Short mmCIF file of all heavy atoms in Angstrom, two decimals:
data_model
loop_
_atom_site.label_atom_id
_atom_site.label_comp_id
_atom_site.label_asym_id
_atom_site.label_seq_id
_atom_site.Cartn_x
_atom_site.Cartn_y
_atom_site.Cartn_z
N MET A 1 1.86 4.23 -14.02
CA MET A 1 0.67 4.10 -13.22
C MET A 1 0.99 3.99 -11.77
O MET A 1 2.05 3.51 -11.38
CB MET A 1 -0.12 2.85 -13.60
CG MET A 1 -1.31 3.13 -14.50
SD MET A 1 -2.50 1.76 -14.47
CE MET A 1 -1.84 0.88 -15.87
N ILE A 2 0.06 4.39 -10.91
CA ILE A 2 0.23 4.30 -9.48
C ILE A 2 -0.76 3.29 -8.93
O ILE A 2 -1.96 3.35 -9.23
CB ILE A 2 -0.07 5.69 -8.80
CG1 ILE A 2 0.85 6.72 -9.34
CG2 ILE A 2 0.08 5.55 -7.29
CD1 ILE A 2 2.29 6.59 -8.96
N LEU A 3 -0.22 2.29 -8.20
CA LEU A 3 -1.07 1.31 -7.50
C LEU A 3 -1.32 1.86 -6.09
O LEU A 3 -0.35 2.15 -5.35
CB LEU A 3 -0.39 -0.04 -7.48
CG LEU A 3 -1.12 -1.14 -6.67
CD1 LEU A 3 -2.49 -1.45 -7.31
CD2 LEU A 3 -0.27 -2.41 -6.62
N TYR A 4 -2.56 1.99 -5.73
CA TYR A 4 -2.97 2.41 -4.45
C TYR A 4 -3.45 1.23 -3.62
O TYR A 4 -4.39 0.57 -3.98
CB TYR A 4 -4.11 3.45 -4.64
CG TYR A 4 -4.49 4.33 -3.51
CD1 TYR A 4 -3.68 5.37 -3.11
CD2 TYR A 4 -5.67 4.15 -2.83
CE1 TYR A 4 -4.04 6.21 -2.09
CE2 TYR A 4 -6.05 4.98 -1.79
CZ TYR A 4 -5.24 5.98 -1.46
OH TYR A 4 -5.63 6.83 -0.39
N ILE A 5 -2.73 0.95 -2.50
CA ILE A 5 -3.01 -0.27 -1.71
C ILE A 5 -3.48 0.16 -0.35
O ILE A 5 -2.74 0.75 0.46
CB ILE A 5 -1.76 -1.16 -1.54
CG1 ILE A 5 -1.11 -1.49 -2.90
CG2 ILE A 5 -2.10 -2.42 -0.79
CD1 ILE A 5 0.24 -2.11 -2.79
N LYS A 6 -4.76 -0.13 -0.03
CA LYS A 6 -5.30 0.21 1.32
C LYS A 6 -4.86 -0.86 2.32
O LYS A 6 -5.03 -2.05 2.09
CB LYS A 6 -6.81 0.23 1.31
CG LYS A 6 -7.38 1.38 0.47
CD LYS A 6 -8.87 1.33 0.52
CE LYS A 6 -9.52 2.39 -0.38
NZ LYS A 6 -10.99 2.31 -0.33
N VAL A 7 -4.24 -0.45 3.42
CA VAL A 7 -3.76 -1.36 4.46
C VAL A 7 -4.41 -1.11 5.80
O VAL A 7 -4.19 -1.86 6.74
CB VAL A 7 -2.25 -1.31 4.56
CG1 VAL A 7 -1.62 -1.91 3.31
CG2 VAL A 7 -1.70 0.01 4.82
N GLY A 8 -5.16 -0.03 5.94
CA GLY A 8 -5.88 0.19 7.20
C GLY A 8 -5.13 0.97 8.27
O GLY A 8 -5.35 2.12 8.53
N SER A 9 -4.17 0.29 8.92
CA SER A 9 -3.52 0.91 10.09
C SER A 9 -2.15 1.52 9.74
O SER A 9 -1.52 1.14 8.77
CB SER A 9 -3.34 -0.10 11.20
OG SER A 9 -2.28 -1.03 10.84
N ILE A 10 -1.75 2.48 10.54
CA ILE A 10 -0.43 3.04 10.31
C ILE A 10 0.69 2.05 10.49
O ILE A 10 1.68 2.07 9.83
CB ILE A 10 -0.24 4.33 11.24
CG1 ILE A 10 1.04 5.05 10.80
CG2 ILE A 10 -0.16 3.93 12.69
CD1 ILE A 10 1.17 6.42 11.36
N THR A 11 0.48 1.11 11.41
CA THR A 11 1.50 0.06 11.66
C THR A 11 1.69 -0.79 10.40
O THR A 11 2.82 -1.08 10.01
CB THR A 11 1.10 -0.82 12.87
OG1 THR A 11 0.92 0.03 14.01
CG2 THR A 11 2.13 -1.86 13.15
N ASN A 12 0.55 -1.24 9.80
CA ASN A 12 0.66 -2.03 8.58
C ASN A 12 1.24 -1.17 7.42
O ASN A 12 1.97 -1.74 6.60
CB ASN A 12 -0.70 -2.60 8.19
CG ASN A 12 -1.03 -3.81 8.94
OD1 ASN A 12 -0.15 -4.50 9.57
ND2 ASN A 12 -2.30 -4.20 8.98
N ALA A 13 0.96 0.11 7.38
CA ALA A 13 1.50 0.96 6.35
C ALA A 13 3.00 1.09 6.51
O ALA A 13 3.77 0.94 5.52
CB ALA A 13 0.86 2.33 6.41
N GLN A 14 3.50 1.26 7.74
CA GLN A 14 4.90 1.34 7.96
C GLN A 14 5.63 -0.01 7.65
O GLN A 14 6.69 0.01 7.01
CB GLN A 14 5.20 1.74 9.42
CG GLN A 14 4.80 3.17 9.74
CD GLN A 14 4.79 3.46 11.18
OE1 GLN A 14 4.65 2.63 12.09
NE2 GLN A 14 4.96 4.78 11.50
N ARG A 15 5.01 -1.09 8.09
CA ARG A 15 5.66 -2.40 7.80
C ARG A 15 5.64 -2.70 6.33
O ARG A 15 6.64 -3.16 5.76
CB ARG A 15 4.86 -3.49 8.57
CG ARG A 15 5.10 -3.50 10.04
CD ARG A 15 4.31 -4.52 10.82
NE ARG A 15 4.43 -5.87 10.22
CZ ARG A 15 3.43 -6.75 10.14
NH1 ARG A 15 2.25 -6.46 10.59
NH2 ARG A 15 3.68 -7.93 9.60
N GLY A 16 4.52 -2.36 5.65
CA GLY A 16 4.39 -2.59 4.23
C GLY A 16 5.37 -1.77 3.43
O GLY A 16 5.96 -2.24 2.46
N GLN A 17 5.56 -0.53 3.83
CA GLN A 17 6.50 0.34 3.18
C GLN A 17 7.94 -0.22 3.23
O GLN A 17 8.66 -0.25 2.23
CB GLN A 17 6.41 1.74 3.78
CG GLN A 17 7.29 2.80 3.11
CD GLN A 17 7.13 4.15 3.78
OE1 GLN A 17 7.12 4.28 5.02
NE2 GLN A 17 7.03 5.18 2.96
N LYS A 18 8.29 -0.73 4.37
CA LYS A 18 9.58 -1.28 4.61
C LYS A 18 9.76 -2.53 3.74
O LYS A 18 10.82 -2.72 3.07
CB LYS A 18 9.81 -1.63 6.09
CG LYS A 18 11.13 -2.15 6.40
CD LYS A 18 11.32 -2.40 7.87
CE LYS A 18 12.63 -2.97 8.24
NZ LYS A 18 12.82 -3.19 9.65
N ILE A 19 8.81 -3.40 3.69
CA ILE A 19 8.86 -4.64 2.91
C ILE A 19 8.97 -4.32 1.42
O ILE A 19 9.80 -4.91 0.72
CB ILE A 19 7.60 -5.53 3.18
CG1 ILE A 19 7.65 -6.08 4.59
CG2 ILE A 19 7.45 -6.63 2.13
CD1 ILE A 19 6.32 -6.67 5.08
N LEU A 20 8.14 -3.38 0.94
CA LEU A 20 8.18 -3.11 -0.50
C LEU A 20 9.49 -2.37 -0.88
O LEU A 20 10.00 -2.63 -1.98
CB LEU A 20 6.95 -2.23 -0.91
CG LEU A 20 5.64 -3.01 -0.81
CD1 LEU A 20 4.48 -2.06 -1.19
CD2 LEU A 20 5.63 -4.21 -1.73
N ARG A 21 10.01 -1.55 -0.03
CA ARG A 21 11.29 -0.89 -0.34
C ARG A 21 12.41 -1.94 -0.41
O ARG A 21 13.29 -1.85 -1.27
CB ARG A 21 11.62 0.18 0.69
CG ARG A 21 10.82 1.44 0.46
CD ARG A 21 11.23 2.52 1.39
NE ARG A 21 10.47 3.77 1.05
CZ ARG A 21 10.43 4.77 1.84
NH1 ARG A 21 11.01 4.80 3.02
NH2 ARG A 21 9.70 5.86 1.49
N ALA A 22 12.38 -2.96 0.44
CA ALA A 22 13.34 -4.03 0.42
C ALA A 22 13.24 -4.85 -0.85
O ALA A 22 14.19 -5.46 -1.24
CB ALA A 22 13.15 -4.91 1.68
N ASN A 23 12.05 -4.80 -1.52
CA ASN A 23 11.87 -5.53 -2.77
C ASN A 23 12.05 -4.60 -4.01
O ASN A 23 11.70 -4.96 -5.10
CB ASN A 23 10.50 -6.14 -2.79
CG ASN A 23 10.43 -7.41 -1.99
OD1 ASN A 23 10.74 -8.48 -2.49
ND2 ASN A 23 9.99 -7.34 -0.77
N GLY A 24 12.56 -3.40 -3.80
CA GLY A 24 12.97 -2.54 -4.87
C GLY A 24 11.88 -1.55 -5.37
O GLY A 24 12.01 -0.92 -6.41
N TYR A 25 10.80 -1.39 -4.64
CA TYR A 25 9.71 -0.48 -5.01
C TYR A 25 9.88 0.86 -4.36
O TYR A 25 10.35 0.96 -3.21
CB TYR A 25 8.33 -1.09 -4.69
CG TYR A 25 7.95 -2.27 -5.50
CD1 TYR A 25 8.14 -3.54 -5.02
CD2 TYR A 25 7.41 -2.10 -6.75
CE1 TYR A 25 7.80 -4.66 -5.79
CE2 TYR A 25 7.04 -3.17 -7.53
CZ TYR A 25 7.24 -4.44 -7.04
OH TYR A 25 6.90 -5.54 -7.78
N ARG A 26 9.44 1.89 -5.04
CA ARG A 26 9.35 3.25 -4.46
C ARG A 26 7.93 3.33 -3.88
O ARG A 26 6.96 3.17 -4.59
CB ARG A 26 9.55 4.34 -5.53
CG ARG A 26 11.00 4.43 -5.90
CD ARG A 26 11.15 5.61 -6.82
NE ARG A 26 12.53 5.80 -7.11
CZ ARG A 26 13.02 6.80 -7.82
NH1 ARG A 26 12.20 7.69 -8.33
NH2 ARG A 26 14.28 6.90 -8.05
N VAL A 27 7.88 3.63 -2.59
CA VAL A 27 6.56 3.62 -1.90
C VAL A 27 6.39 4.88 -1.08
O VAL A 27 7.32 5.38 -0.46
CB VAL A 27 6.51 2.41 -0.95
CG1 VAL A 27 5.17 2.30 -0.28
CG2 VAL A 27 6.91 1.13 -1.60
N GLN A 28 5.14 5.42 -1.11
CA GLN A 28 4.79 6.53 -0.27
C GLN A 28 3.58 6.10 0.60
O GLN A 28 2.62 5.49 0.08
CB GLN A 28 4.38 7.75 -1.06
CG GLN A 28 5.58 8.40 -1.76
CD GLN A 28 5.23 9.71 -2.37
OE1 GLN A 28 4.04 10.07 -2.46
NE2 GLN A 28 6.17 10.45 -2.83
N MET A 29 3.62 6.46 1.88
CA MET A 29 2.54 6.11 2.77
C MET A 29 1.59 7.34 2.74
O MET A 29 2.07 8.49 2.86
CB MET A 29 3.14 5.87 4.18
CG MET A 29 2.11 5.45 5.18
SD MET A 29 2.84 4.92 6.75
CE MET A 29 3.81 6.34 7.17
N LYS A 30 0.30 7.12 2.65
CA LYS A 30 -0.67 8.18 2.61
C LYS A 30 -1.80 7.90 3.60
O LYS A 30 -2.17 6.81 3.86
CB LYS A 30 -1.29 8.23 1.20
CG LYS A 30 -0.30 8.55 0.10
CD LYS A 30 0.12 10.01 0.12
CE LYS A 30 1.02 10.27 -1.03
NZ LYS A 30 1.34 11.67 -1.20
N LYS A 31 -2.33 9.01 4.15
CA LYS A 31 -3.53 8.96 5.01
C LYS A 31 -4.71 9.16 4.08
O LYS A 31 -4.75 10.11 3.27
CB LYS A 31 -3.47 10.05 6.06
CG LYS A 31 -4.70 10.15 6.93
CD LYS A 31 -4.77 9.07 7.98
CE LYS A 31 -5.88 9.41 8.97
NZ LYS A 31 -6.66 8.24 9.25
N ILE A 32 -5.74 8.29 4.14
CA ILE A 32 -6.92 8.45 3.35
C ILE A 32 -7.75 9.57 3.95
O ILE A 32 -8.00 9.56 5.15
CB ILE A 32 -7.72 7.11 3.31
CG1 ILE A 32 -6.84 6.03 2.66
CG2 ILE A 32 -9.05 7.30 2.54
CD1 ILE A 32 -7.48 4.64 2.81
N ASP A 33 -8.15 10.54 3.11
CA ASP A 33 -8.90 11.71 3.63
C ASP A 33 -10.23 11.34 4.31
O ASP A 33 -10.49 11.77 5.44
CB ASP A 33 -9.19 12.69 2.51
CG ASP A 33 -7.90 13.37 2.03
OD1 ASP A 33 -6.98 13.51 2.82
OD2 ASP A 33 -7.84 13.76 0.83
N ASN A 34 -11.06 10.61 3.66
CA ASN A 34 -12.35 10.23 4.26
C ASN A 34 -12.52 8.70 4.15
O ASN A 34 -13.20 8.22 3.26
CB ASN A 34 -13.56 10.94 3.49
CG ASN A 34 -13.51 12.39 3.69
OD1 ASN A 34 -13.43 12.89 4.84
ND2 ASN A 34 -13.67 13.15 2.61
N PRO A 35 -11.93 7.99 5.10
CA PRO A 35 -11.92 6.51 5.01
C PRO A 35 -13.39 5.99 5.15
O PRO A 35 -14.17 6.46 5.94
CB PRO A 35 -11.06 6.03 6.18
CG PRO A 35 -10.96 7.21 7.08
CD PRO A 35 -11.18 8.43 6.28
N ALA A 36 -13.66 4.98 4.36
CA ALA A 36 -14.96 4.26 4.46
C ALA A 36 -14.94 3.41 5.70
O ALA A 36 -13.89 3.10 6.27
CB ALA A 36 -15.15 3.43 3.19
N PRO A 37 -16.13 2.94 6.15
CA PRO A 37 -16.18 2.11 7.33
C PRO A 37 -15.27 0.89 7.35
O PRO A 37 -14.78 0.51 8.35
CB PRO A 37 -17.62 1.70 7.40
CG PRO A 37 -18.38 2.82 6.74
CD PRO A 37 -17.47 3.24 5.63
N GLY A 38 -14.97 0.28 6.20
CA GLY A 38 -14.13 -0.87 6.15
C GLY A 38 -12.64 -0.59 5.96
O GLY A 38 -11.83 -1.50 5.79
N ASP A 39 -12.26 0.68 6.03
CA ASP A 39 -10.89 1.10 5.75
C ASP A 39 -10.01 1.20 7.02
O ASP A 39 -8.88 1.70 6.96
CB ASP A 39 -10.85 2.40 4.98
CG ASP A 39 -11.32 2.31 3.57
OD1 ASP A 39 -11.35 1.17 3.05
OD2 ASP A 39 -11.65 3.32 2.95
N GLY A 40 -10.53 0.78 8.13
CA GLY A 40 -9.75 0.87 9.37
C GLY A 40 -9.37 2.30 9.73
O GLY A 40 -10.22 3.22 9.63
N CYS A 41 -8.15 2.55 10.12
CA CYS A 41 -7.72 3.93 10.47
C CYS A 41 -7.46 4.78 9.22
O CYS A 41 -7.23 5.96 9.35
CB CYS A 41 -6.42 3.87 11.29
SG CYS A 41 -6.66 3.05 12.86
N GLY A 42 -7.51 4.15 8.07
CA GLY A 42 -7.42 4.93 6.85
C GLY A 42 -6.03 5.20 6.28
O GLY A 42 -5.70 6.32 6.03
N TYR A 43 -5.19 4.19 6.15
CA TYR A 43 -3.86 4.36 5.59
C TYR A 43 -3.71 3.53 4.34
O TYR A 43 -4.31 2.45 4.19
CB TYR A 43 -2.76 3.98 6.58
CG TYR A 43 -2.55 5.09 7.60
CD1 TYR A 43 -3.34 5.15 8.75
CD2 TYR A 43 -1.64 6.09 7.39
CE1 TYR A 43 -3.13 6.14 9.68
CE2 TYR A 43 -1.45 7.11 8.30
CZ TYR A 43 -2.22 7.14 9.46
OH TYR A 43 -2.05 8.16 10.30
N ALA A 44 -2.93 4.05 3.39
CA ALA A 44 -2.70 3.38 2.14
C ALA A 44 -1.24 3.58 1.72
O ALA A 44 -0.55 4.47 2.20
CB ALA A 44 -3.60 3.92 1.06
N LEU A 45 -0.80 2.78 0.80
CA LEU A 45 0.53 2.84 0.20
C LEU A 45 0.37 3.15 -1.28
O LEU A 45 -0.50 2.50 -1.94
CB LEU A 45 1.29 1.54 0.40
CG LEU A 45 1.56 1.15 1.82
CD1 LEU A 45 2.14 -0.25 1.89
CD2 LEU A 45 2.49 2.11 2.50
N GLU A 46 1.15 4.07 -1.79
CA GLU A 46 1.14 4.37 -3.23
C GLU A 46 2.46 3.83 -3.81
O GLU A 46 3.56 4.19 -3.35
CB GLU A 46 1.09 5.86 -3.47
CG GLU A 46 -0.26 6.45 -3.19
CD GLU A 46 -0.32 7.93 -3.53
OE1 GLU A 46 0.72 8.56 -3.80
OE2 GLU A 46 -1.44 8.47 -3.54
N VAL A 47 2.33 2.98 -4.84
CA VAL A 47 3.48 2.31 -5.46
C VAL A 47 3.43 2.59 -6.97
O VAL A 47 2.39 2.33 -7.63
CB VAL A 47 3.47 0.79 -5.20
CG1 VAL A 47 4.72 0.15 -5.75
CG2 VAL A 47 3.26 0.49 -3.71
N LYS A 48 4.56 3.06 -7.52
CA LYS A 48 4.58 3.28 -8.92
C LYS A 48 4.91 1.88 -9.60
O LYS A 48 6.03 1.40 -9.50
CB LYS A 48 5.64 4.29 -9.31
CG LYS A 48 5.64 4.70 -10.77
CD LYS A 48 6.55 5.84 -11.04
CE LYS A 48 6.40 6.25 -12.47
NZ LYS A 48 7.26 7.39 -12.80
N THR A 49 3.90 1.33 -10.26
CA THR A 49 4.06 0.01 -10.87
C THR A 49 2.93 -0.20 -11.92
O THR A 49 1.95 0.53 -11.92
CB THR A 49 4.00 -1.11 -9.81
OG1 THR A 49 4.26 -2.35 -10.42
CG2 THR A 49 2.72 -1.18 -9.08
N GLU A 50 3.13 -1.18 -12.78
CA GLU A 50 2.12 -1.53 -13.80
C GLU A 50 1.35 -2.77 -13.43
O GLU A 50 0.49 -3.19 -14.19
CB GLU A 50 2.83 -1.73 -15.14
CG GLU A 50 3.58 -0.48 -15.63
CD GLU A 50 2.62 0.57 -16.09
OE1 GLU A 50 1.51 0.25 -16.64
OE2 GLU A 50 2.94 1.78 -15.89
N ASN A 51 1.71 -3.42 -12.29
CA ASN A 51 1.03 -4.69 -11.97
C ASN A 51 0.63 -4.74 -10.48
O ASN A 51 0.93 -3.83 -9.71
CB ASN A 51 1.94 -5.90 -12.29
CG ASN A 51 3.30 -5.83 -11.59
OD1 ASN A 51 3.36 -5.61 -10.39
ND2 ASN A 51 4.36 -5.95 -12.30
N ILE A 52 -0.01 -5.82 -10.10
CA ILE A 52 -0.52 -5.99 -8.77
C ILE A 52 0.45 -6.67 -7.81
O ILE A 52 0.13 -6.87 -6.66
CB ILE A 52 -1.90 -6.72 -8.87
CG1 ILE A 52 -2.75 -6.58 -7.59
CG2 ILE A 52 -1.71 -8.16 -9.18
CD1 ILE A 52 -3.53 -5.29 -7.58
N GLU A 53 1.62 -6.98 -8.28
CA GLU A 53 2.60 -7.77 -7.50
C GLU A 53 2.87 -7.19 -6.11
O GLU A 53 2.97 -7.94 -5.14
CB GLU A 53 3.91 -7.90 -8.27
CG GLU A 53 4.92 -8.76 -7.55
CD GLU A 53 6.25 -8.88 -8.31
OE1 GLU A 53 6.43 -8.17 -9.28
OE2 GLU A 53 7.06 -9.67 -7.89
N PRO A 54 3.00 -5.82 -5.94
CA PRO A 54 3.25 -5.30 -4.60
C PRO A 54 2.21 -5.74 -3.56
O PRO A 54 2.56 -6.03 -2.44
CB PRO A 54 3.32 -3.79 -4.82
CG PRO A 54 3.73 -3.62 -6.20
CD PRO A 54 3.08 -4.76 -6.92
N ALA A 55 0.96 -5.75 -3.97
CA ALA A 55 -0.09 -6.18 -2.99
C ALA A 55 0.07 -7.64 -2.67
O ALA A 55 -0.17 -8.04 -1.52
CB ALA A 55 -1.45 -5.91 -3.61
N GLN A 56 0.46 -8.42 -3.63
CA GLN A 56 0.70 -9.86 -3.34
C GLN A 56 1.84 -10.06 -2.42
O GLN A 56 1.82 -10.93 -1.51
CB GLN A 56 0.93 -10.59 -4.66
CG GLN A 56 -0.33 -10.60 -5.57
CD GLN A 56 -0.03 -11.08 -6.97
OE1 GLN A 56 1.12 -11.08 -7.45
NE2 GLN A 56 -1.06 -11.48 -7.71
N ILE A 57 2.93 -9.26 -2.57
CA ILE A 57 4.07 -9.33 -1.67
C ILE A 57 3.66 -9.01 -0.25
O ILE A 57 4.05 -9.70 0.68
CB ILE A 57 5.19 -8.38 -2.16
CG1 ILE A 57 5.82 -8.88 -3.47
CG2 ILE A 57 6.24 -8.22 -1.09
CD1 ILE A 57 6.73 -7.92 -4.16
N LEU A 58 2.80 -7.99 -0.10
CA LEU A 58 2.34 -7.60 1.24
C LEU A 58 1.52 -8.74 1.87
O LEU A 58 1.76 -9.12 3.03
CB LEU A 58 1.51 -6.33 1.20
CG LEU A 58 2.27 -5.05 0.80
CD1 LEU A 58 1.26 -3.87 0.73
CD2 LEU A 58 3.36 -4.73 1.77
N SER A 59 0.63 -9.35 1.11
CA SER A 59 -0.18 -10.46 1.63
C SER A 59 0.67 -11.64 2.07
O SER A 59 0.43 -12.21 3.08
CB SER A 59 -1.18 -10.90 0.55
OG SER A 59 -2.12 -9.91 0.33
N LYS A 60 1.70 -11.97 1.22
CA LYS A 60 2.60 -13.08 1.58
C LYS A 60 3.39 -12.82 2.81
O LYS A 60 3.83 -13.76 3.49
CB LYS A 60 3.53 -13.34 0.44
CG LYS A 60 2.86 -14.00 -0.77
CD LYS A 60 3.84 -14.20 -1.88
CE LYS A 60 3.12 -14.76 -3.09
NZ LYS A 60 4.03 -14.92 -4.29
N ASN A 61 3.54 -11.53 3.18
CA ASN A 61 4.30 -11.14 4.37
C ASN A 61 3.44 -10.81 5.57
O ASN A 61 3.85 -10.17 6.55
CB ASN A 61 5.25 -9.99 4.08
CG ASN A 61 6.46 -10.43 3.27
OD1 ASN A 61 7.43 -10.94 3.87
ND2 ASN A 61 6.43 -10.32 1.97
N GLY A 62 2.15 -11.14 5.49
CA GLY A 62 1.23 -11.00 6.67
C GLY A 62 0.61 -9.63 6.79
O GLY A 62 -0.01 -9.35 7.81
N ILE A 63 0.67 -8.80 5.77
CA ILE A 63 0.02 -7.50 5.80
C ILE A 63 -1.38 -7.67 5.21
O ILE A 63 -1.52 -8.14 4.07
CB ILE A 63 0.83 -6.42 4.97
CG1 ILE A 63 2.26 -6.31 5.49
CG2 ILE A 63 0.06 -5.10 5.03
CD1 ILE A 63 2.43 -5.71 6.85
N SER A 64 -2.37 -7.24 5.93
CA SER A 64 -3.77 -7.34 5.48
C SER A 64 -4.04 -6.26 4.45
O SER A 64 -3.97 -5.06 4.78
CB SER A 64 -4.71 -7.20 6.67
OG SER A 64 -6.03 -7.25 6.22
N VAL A 65 -4.33 -6.62 3.21
CA VAL A 65 -4.62 -5.69 2.16
C VAL A 65 -6.14 -5.53 2.07
O VAL A 65 -6.85 -6.52 1.83
CB VAL A 65 -4.07 -6.16 0.78
CG1 VAL A 65 -4.52 -5.25 -0.35
CG2 VAL A 65 -2.54 -6.24 0.86
N LEU A 66 -6.63 -4.30 2.30
CA LEU A 66 -8.08 -4.08 2.35
C LEU A 66 -8.64 -3.74 0.98
O LEU A 66 -9.85 -3.77 0.75
CB LEU A 66 -8.38 -2.91 3.30
CG LEU A 66 -7.91 -3.16 4.73
CD1 LEU A 66 -8.24 -1.94 5.59
CD2 LEU A 66 -8.57 -4.37 5.31
N GLY A 67 -7.80 -3.39 0.04
CA GLY A 67 -8.22 -3.06 -1.31
C GLY A 67 -7.13 -2.48 -2.16
O GLY A 67 -6.12 -1.97 -1.63
N THR A 68 -7.27 -2.53 -3.48
CA THR A 68 -6.29 -1.95 -4.40
C THR A 68 -7.01 -1.28 -5.53
O THR A 68 -8.17 -1.63 -5.87
CB THR A 68 -5.40 -3.08 -4.98
OG1 THR A 68 -6.18 -3.99 -5.72
CG2 THR A 68 -4.58 -3.78 -3.95
N GLU A 69 -6.35 -0.24 -6.10
CA GLU A 69 -6.85 0.36 -7.33
C GLU A 69 -5.70 1.06 -8.04
O GLU A 69 -4.74 1.52 -7.40
CB GLU A 69 -7.98 1.30 -7.04
CG GLU A 69 -7.61 2.58 -6.29
CD GLU A 69 -8.82 3.50 -6.08
OE1 GLU A 69 -9.65 3.16 -5.27
OE2 GLU A 69 -8.83 4.58 -6.73
N PHE A 70 -5.81 1.17 -9.36
CA PHE A 70 -4.84 1.87 -10.16
C PHE A 70 -5.33 3.29 -10.38
O PHE A 70 -6.49 3.48 -10.64
CB PHE A 70 -4.55 1.20 -11.49
CG PHE A 70 -3.70 -0.01 -11.36
CD1 PHE A 70 -4.23 -1.30 -11.37
CD2 PHE A 70 -2.33 0.11 -11.23
CE1 PHE A 70 -3.42 -2.42 -11.24
CE2 PHE A 70 -1.49 -0.99 -11.14
CZ PHE A 70 -2.06 -2.29 -11.15
N ARG A 71 -4.40 4.23 -10.25
CA ARG A 71 -4.77 5.63 -10.46
C ARG A 71 -3.90 6.25 -11.52
O ARG A 71 -2.81 5.90 -11.73
CB ARG A 71 -4.65 6.44 -9.23
CG ARG A 71 -5.66 6.06 -8.17
CD ARG A 71 -5.55 6.91 -7.00
NE ARG A 71 -6.65 6.53 -6.09
CZ ARG A 71 -6.95 7.21 -4.96
NH1 ARG A 71 -6.17 8.27 -4.65
NH2 ARG A 71 -7.87 6.85 -4.21
#
């Protein structure tokens, strides 16, 4: 499964990608095609995982998580 984590800005996406890679996750940064009004600049991280732990890791490291969903 792929966990899709909305982080809003490109800066948070870059920081989040670095943090998750340091924790052993494979991460891809994506631009959201049509971001909703609450999605900031519209960036998200895609993580191959079966649980929500990557989003929790980001929150603990000061990255604002705007939403998550499994795809």
Side-chain angles (χ1 to χ4, degrees):
M1 256 198 270
I2 302 291
L3 176 62
Y4 195 73
I5 307 169
K6 293 181 185 178
V7 292
S9 72
I10 190 166
T11 303
N12 279 343
Q14 290 169 334
R15 288 177 52 217
Q17 185 177 42
K18 184 178 179 180
I19 290 166
L20 292 177
R21 284 186 175 163
N23 281 276
Y25 290 98
R26 288 187 174 183
V27 184
Q28 289 188 352
M29 188 171 52
K30 299 286 183 172
K31 175 78 170 135
I32 300 171
D33 290 331
N34 294 312
D39 290 341
C41 296
Y43 282 88
L45 298 172
E46 288 184 348
V47 185
K48 188 172 184 178
T49 185
E50 298 289 326
N51 57 50
I52 199 82
E53 184 181 12
Q56 294 168 340
I57 291 170
L58 293 178
S59 292
K60 288 178 184 176
N61 283 279
I63 304 290
S64 178
V65 174
L66 302 177
T68 61
E69 68 178 73
F70 283 101
R71 293 185 174 187

